Amino acid sequence: MDTGHRHTAAPSEQMYLPKHRILALTDGVVAIAMTLLVLDIDVPDGLRGQALVDALDDVQGQVWTFLLSAVVIALFWRVHHSVLRDAEWINGSLFWCNVAFLALVSLIPFPTRVLADYGHRPLGPGLYGAVIGTAALVLYVMAVCIARGSGRRRPFPPFPAQACVFLLSVGIAQFSPLAAVYSWIASVPLSVLAHRHAARASRASGP
């Protein structure tokens, strides 16, 4: 009976997995990582008056970093699905790249807490930038692998602006932690420019 789903045979001689299983695993890890972010926000019980106000002031930094990391993880999830959109089967290289990506995503709650507690020191922004930048770079490597192994003429993935900005912020943090944090804003316009450039190059090389 035709269920409406088209199945293709996996190539032999290597370990291949269907894409939907990798996407399902990624969805689960992303959901857990986002849940762990909010668990770090804690206010002691039984506080009243000024003590409660002071406690809420103390967690403002944790709330800010939670929102930052929640947006970052959500964007990673969206880009991951976009990267795997044209992949039917996941070979060994893509599998291990995906494992590395998920390991980094599951690690994000830790540098998020470090950033909230030590954002004024090089360690906070430096560790955060290293983890986020490396995760973005792994996603870029996955996109390159898919583009090269598709067997069709595909445009090269956009320049990994986000990865470069966050990794460069590790060095900036050694001189100015605050400047490193503000430097992350540059990843937004640079990513937009990179995608526009890739789109123009794709149109120029089209039939």
Side-chain angles (χ1 to χ4, degrees):
M1 180 177 66
D2 186 6
T3 60
H5 296 282
R6 185 175 298 174
H7 298 281
T8 57
S12 58
E13 299 180 1
Q14 292 189 44
M15 181 185 66
Y16 281 79
L17 290 173
K19 177 178 64 176
H20 69 87
R21 297 186 64 181
I22 295 298
L23 292 177
L25 175 62
T26 302
D27 291 347
V29 172
V30 166
I32 293 173
M34 295 187 75
T35 302
L36 291 177
L37 287 175
V38 74
L39 293 180
D40 281 335
I41 303 176
D42 181 53
V43 176
D45 296 332
L47 298 181
R48 296 181 181 179
Q50 188 60 42
L52 177 59
V53 173
D54 293 340
L56 292 175
D57 287 340
D58 290 339
V59 300
Q60 282 185 1
Q62 295 180 26
V63 172
W64 180 84
T65 54
F66 159 75
L67 294 175
L68 172 64
S69 291
V71 170
V72 168
I73 292 176
L75 290 175
F76 274 151
W77 175 82
R78 180 180 178 183
V79 173
H80 180 272
H81 275 251
S82 178
V83 166
L84 295 185
R85 180 177 52 198
D86 296 323
E88 291 298 331
W89 293 88
I90 307 299
N91 61 19
S93 298
L94 281 176
F95 171 78
W96 288 112
C97 282
N98 198 78
V99 169
F101 171 72
L102 293 182
L104 290 164
V105 169
S106 63
L107 184 63
I108 288 178
F110 172 65
T112 300
R113 182 59 183 267
V114 174
L115 179 64
D117 294 341
Y118 300 98
H120 58 290
R121 298 183 181 180
L123 174 64
L127 179 61
Y128 194 86
V131 172
I132 301 301
T134 304
L137 189 61
V138 171
L139 271 180
Y140 176 73
V141 171
M142 293 177 65
V144 171
C145 290
I146 292 174
R148 290 182 173 178
S150 64
R152 296 175 295 175
R153 186 176 182 181
R154 293 176 51 83
F156 207 70
F159 178 78
Q162 183 186 31
C164 292
V165 169
F166 276 88
L167 290 176
L168 286 174
S169 73
V170 177
I172 298 174
Q174 307 308 311
F175 302 96
S176 174
L178 184 60
V181 173
Y182 281 116
S183 72
W184 300 338
I185 300 174
S187 65
V188 177
L190 290 177
S191 295
V192 172
L193 290 175
H195 280 81
R196 288 181 178 177
H197 177 75
R200 286 196 299 266
S202 177
R203 289 193 296 267
S205 61

